[in-house]
Amino acid sequence: MLQQLFSPSVQHTVDMVGIFVFAISGALLAVRKNFDVFGIAVLAEVTALGGGLFRDIVIGAVPPAAFTDLGYFLTPLLATVVVFFLHPHVERIQRAVYVFDAAGLGLFCVSGTTKAYDYGLGLTSSATLGLATAVGGGVLRDVLANEVPSLLRWDRDLYAVPAIVGSTMVVLCIHYDALTPLTTALAAVSAFALRLLAMKYHWRAPRAWNRRSTVREE
C-alpha cells in the first residue's frame, strides 16, 4: 500500500533522512557517555535501524532492508563521523536535532504501520508495529547506554503517544478506505506536531493515581 502511495525514490529519501537524524541522537548520547568511536558507531546504527529491523523480522520481510541497501548501513556511519568531529557544534543545535527527530518519529510511525499492513497484519498489530518502528531504536539505544529508556520515564516529554496517534490515524484511514497521500501526510504531520507541542509545553503521561511511594525518585 505504501508503495502505491509514494514512489520508491521518495520513500527511500524519507527513510534516509529519518535514519540520519535518529543516528545523530544515538551518537550524541554515546559521546556524553564517553564511548570510543566504535561505541559511537554502534549506538548510532542501533538507534537508526533498530525499530525497522524489529518490524521487518516480525513481518517476515527478510532479509531486512537494512541488510540489502548499503545506504541504510552507511547513513548512520556518516552521522557518526559528523558527531565524532563536530559534536560541540551539534550539541549547540540540539533543539534543531530534536525537531528533526520529531519529524522522523512521525514518518517512521506511518511507514512502519503501512508496511506491516502490506505484509498481512491486522489493523491493531500494524499500529503496534508502527509504534515499534518509531521508538524501538531509541529504546535499544538507552538500554545499551545503561539508561532507563526515555520511553518509560515519567519525567520526559511525551514520545510514544505522538507515535501512537500517528499509527492510529493510519489504521483508521485503512479501515475506512481513506488512506491517500494526503491522509498519510496528515497522520505523519499530526504525530510530528504533537511531539513538538509536548516538547514546548512539557506534556507528560500521568503516573499512578494517588501515588504514595517512599522510594526516592531518580
Side-chain angles (χ1 to χ4, degrees):
M1 184 175 297
L2 186 62
Q3 290 82 355
Q4 299 171 357
L5 293 173
F6 300 104
S7 69
S9 60
V10 170
Q11 181 59 31
H12 189 267
T13 301
V14 167
D15 283 347
M16 291 301 104
V17 172
I19 285 170
F20 182 78
V21 173
F22 283 164
I24 287 285
S25 71
L28 284 174
L29 178 59
V31 170
R32 296 189 195 110
K33 290 285 186 175
N34 204 30
F35 288 7
D36 63 15
V37 64
F38 180 75
I40 297 172
V42 168
L43 223 57
E45 292 280 357
V46 166
T47 307
L49 304 178
L53 281 172
F54 175 77
R55 176 205 60 211
D56 287 351
I57 291 171
V58 169
I59 64 179
V62 292
F67 290 99
T68 58
D69 187 328
L70 192 59
Y72 282 78
F73 177 75
L74 294 180
T75 300
L77 294 183
L78 175 60
T80 298
V81 172
V82 170
V83 171
F84 185 81
F85 288 105
L86 301 175
H87 65 87
H89 305 287
V90 177
E91 287 279 11
R92 283 199 288 270
I93 61 168
Q94 183 70 51
R95 189 69 182 178
V97 173
Y98 284 149
V99 171
F100 284 110
D101 180 83
L105 180 80
L107 293 169
F108 277 21
C109 73
V110 169
S111 66
T113 302
T114 52
K115 185 171 183 178
Y117 187 76
D118 273 344
Y119 275 77
L121 268 66
L123 295 179
T124 301
S125 299
S126 296
T128 301
L129 271 186
L131 169 64
T133 303
V135 306
V139 171
L140 292 174
R141 172 201 64 205
D142 292 342
V143 169
L144 288 177
N146 198 30
E147 298 240 331
V148 176
S150 300
L151 188 70
L152 306 179
R153 295 186 57 171
W154 73 270
D155 58 342
R156 298 297 172 87
D157 302 331
L158 294 179
Y159 195 80
V161 171
I164 293 171
V165 169
S167 297
T168 301
M169 290 178 66
V170 171
V171 296
L172 286 175
C173 288
I174 293 173
H175 178 71
Y176 291 106
D177 198 24
L179 192 66
T180 65
L182 178 60
T183 56
T184 301
L186 180 61
V189 170
S190 297
F192 170 64
L194 184 55
R195 171 60 180 161
L196 290 185
L197 289 171
M199 290 191 295
K200 179 177 177 61
Y201 297 107
H202 301 296
W203 292 344
R204 293 166 183 170
R207 290 186 285 173
W209 186 255
N210 288 331
R211 178 175 177 271
R212 297 289 185 270
S213 175
T214 58
V215 177
R216 183 177 62 86
E217 294 182 359
E218 299 179 354

